[in-house]
Amino acid sequence: MPRPIHALIHPQALRHNLARVRQAAGDAKVWAVVKARAYGHGIERAFDALRGADGFAVLDLHEAQTLRDLGWRAPVLLLEGVFEQRDLELCSRLDLWHVIHHEAHIDMLSRHKTQAPHRVFLKMNSGMNRLGFTPSSFRSAWARLNALPQVDEISLMTHFAHADDALGVAEQLSCFHAHTHDLQGERSLANSAAVLRHGHDAAVLADWVRPGIALYGSAPDHPLHTAAHWGLQPAMSLRSSLIGLQDLKPGDEVGYGGLFKADRPMRIGVVACGYADGYPRHTPSGTPVLVDGFRTYTVGRVSMDMLCVDVTPVPAAQVGSRVTLWGSDASGEVLCIDEVAAAAGTVGYELMCALAQRVAVTVDV
Ligand SMILES: *Cc1c(COP(=O)(O)O)cnc(C)c1O
């Protein structure tokens, strides 16, 4: 009998979320961002549900190869471009589109021998100061690229630093526009937050949007908004069972360091889920959890293989009772990953991506 913890991937939620993003994206084409093993869901598991996208955006060649092996013939974009010269050979072989974000990328391309010229996305650093050419060097980079026989079409892109918060995208948008308005080519600017929060502006949506997190059912701007507010459904449920119960009297402690001390008679359930499964150790007592579909909360410190929950409000709880750490319960009750992430001082993105290798993953049917 394996440990009862498992993650369930919900293809119908992925499909729903993709449709929801499309609805918000107007006429823009959609890159489904599947970096980091499709945010922990697994590219192979998410592929079928997301193949309604116009392209897939990935981080590395291995992910691109996986998509081609799955039979995907439409566009694949390397979001950070290549990492070394010989990567360009695989770009040619697999027909990958790639981002150009520094001079060395242009140098590599100029040395690359290819039959078919490449489609590239030239990236501007419009204020985030992560990747991309500065606005003042953008035009000369464009001209250099445009002169290369290795280059087919040049598209233009940038990335927003404040799409998910109150500052918004106006400043970066006007910077991008000021330095690109007379350049030919398709444009891509928006991540999930930009699509959902600023998609009323056609200049934000542009030609291609690049949603990631929204596809997986987490709100990009939690706690300003919830996934339910955006009409998104959880694509991953982390489920387990109770493997033990303890009855506490007032003054009894729970777990390492006795971080939790009962102030009244309580019943505690022990869940087969710990930080070695990817559940964050930093979650404090009081983090929400579902037991048999009822909402209760964690108590005490999360250990490597176990955590404890208060089952006093769930009198029918017993060894074997269903536990949902995030996502949907078999009863249909939902515990949004963003709530758990917020309690742990992080974001849904990190929890999805951190799902541990030892957790068995199955696809819902
Ligand atoms: C990861 C990534 C995205 C997707 O961002 P979400 O916030 O998950 O929607 C979009 N664009 C780039 C360049 C990225 O690296």
Side-chain angles (χ1 to χ4, degrees):
M1 179 76 176
R3 278 177 83 226
I5 187 165
H6 64 283
L8 198 56
I9 305 303
H10 307 286
Q12 67 283 13
L14 291 167
R15 273 190 206 95
H16 167 90
N17 296 337
L18 176 59
R20 175 69 193 88
V21 167
R22 266 214 191 279
Q23 182 190 35
D27 294 331
K29 288 174 278 188
V30 176
W31 292 112
V33 179
V34 293
K35 60 190 178 187
R37 298 182 297 125
Y39 290 46
H41 297 65
I43 290 180
E44 292 89 343
R45 291 181 209 105
F47 175 69
D48 209 47
L50 295 179
R51 64 186 309 158
D54 300 288
F56 283 95
V58 300
L59 206 62
D60 63 36
L61 291 170
H62 180 73
E63 294 165 335
Q65 179 80 62
T66 299
L67 287 160
R68 291 299 186 223
D69 290 347
L70 286 165
W72 180 254
R73 294 282 152 260
V76 172
L77 176 66
L78 293 177
L79 282 168
E80 293 184 1
V82 298
F83 298 98
E84 56 176 323
Q85 179 78 42
R86 63 182 182 149
D87 292 352
L88 288 171
E89 288 163 27
L90 212 55
C91 287
S92 288
R93 186 134 44 86
L94 299 180
D95 187 20
L96 308 180
W97 300 6
H98 51 101
V99 169
I100 301 285
H101 63 73
H102 58 66
E103 288 290 343
H105 272 150
I106 307 181
D107 297 339
M108 287 188 238
L109 204 45
S110 71
R111 291 192 293 265
H112 179 54
K113 293 185 179 50
T114 183
Q115 307 287 327
H118 290 195
R119 170 84 177 253
V120 294
F121 277 64
L122 182 62
K123 185 166 188 176
M124 181 189 291
N125 163 18
S126 59
M128 191 172 183
N129 287 311
R130 216 174 49 175
L131 299 182
F133 290 87
T134 58
S136 59
S137 63
F138 195 74
R139 189 162 297 266
S140 65
W142 188 91
R144 244 194 106 192
L145 268 182
N146 195 44
L148 293 182
Q150 291 89 344
V151 171
D152 173 22
E153 255 183 82
I154 306 174
S155 303
L156 314 176
M157 77 182 268
T158 194
H159 193 63
F160 296 126
H162 293 282
D164 56 334
D165 66 41
L167 269 180
V169 299
E171 203 169 311
Q172 284 186 259
L173 185 63
S174 75
C175 170
F176 182 76
H177 179 73
H179 293 89
T180 59
H181 64 93
D182 58 341
L183 293 177
Q184 296 280 312
E186 293 193 321
R187 280 136 168 87
S188 176
L189 299 84
N191 60 0
S192 298
V195 174
L196 294 174
R197 292 169 62 86
H198 305 284
H200 46 85
D201 184 343
V204 171
L205 298 177
D207 300 294
W208 288 89
V209 296
R210 308 188 303 268
I213 197 70
L215 301 176
Y216 306 102
S218 160
D221 59 351
H222 184 88
L224 281 174
H225 294 107
T226 61
H229 167 88
W230 293 122
L232 303 171
Q233 299 173 358
M236 177 196 289
S237 297
L238 183 61
R239 297 181 182 174
S240 188
S241 300
L242 294 186
I243 57 168
L245 291 159
Q246 301 291 342
D247 288 304
L248 309 186
K249 3 181 241 316
D252 284 351
E253 298 178 341
V254 177
Y256 286 115
L259 280 205
F260 181 85
K261 197 180 262 228
D263 59 0
R264 62 201 147 87
M266 291 177 78
R267 187 151 226 231
I268 294 301
V270 182
V271 183
C273 174
Y275 61 78
D277 299 301
Y279 192 92
R281 182 172 177 278
H282 292 109
T283 51
S285 293
T287 301
V289 57
L290 303 177
V291 175
D292 278 342
F294 294 100
R295 209 176 150 101
T296 178
Y297 55 88
T298 63
V299 293
R301 201 170 257 166
V302 174
S303 25
M304 183 184 281
D305 312 311
M306 282 171 270
L307 56 81
C308 295
V309 297
D310 181 9
V311 293
T312 320
V314 195
Q318 54 186 325
V319 166
S321 283
R322 313 190 302 278
V323 177
T324 298
L325 286 314
W326 62 66
S328 59
D329 180 77
S331 65
E333 189 68 20
V334 169
L335 170 57
C336 188
I337 193 169
D338 298 328
E339 278 192 70
V340 180
T346 184
V347 286
Y349 297 74
E350 189 180 4
L351 298 195
M352 295 173 185
C353 294
L355 184 74
Q357 214 68 54
R358 80 176 190 186
V359 176
V361 184
T362 51
V363 177
D364 203 3
V365 283

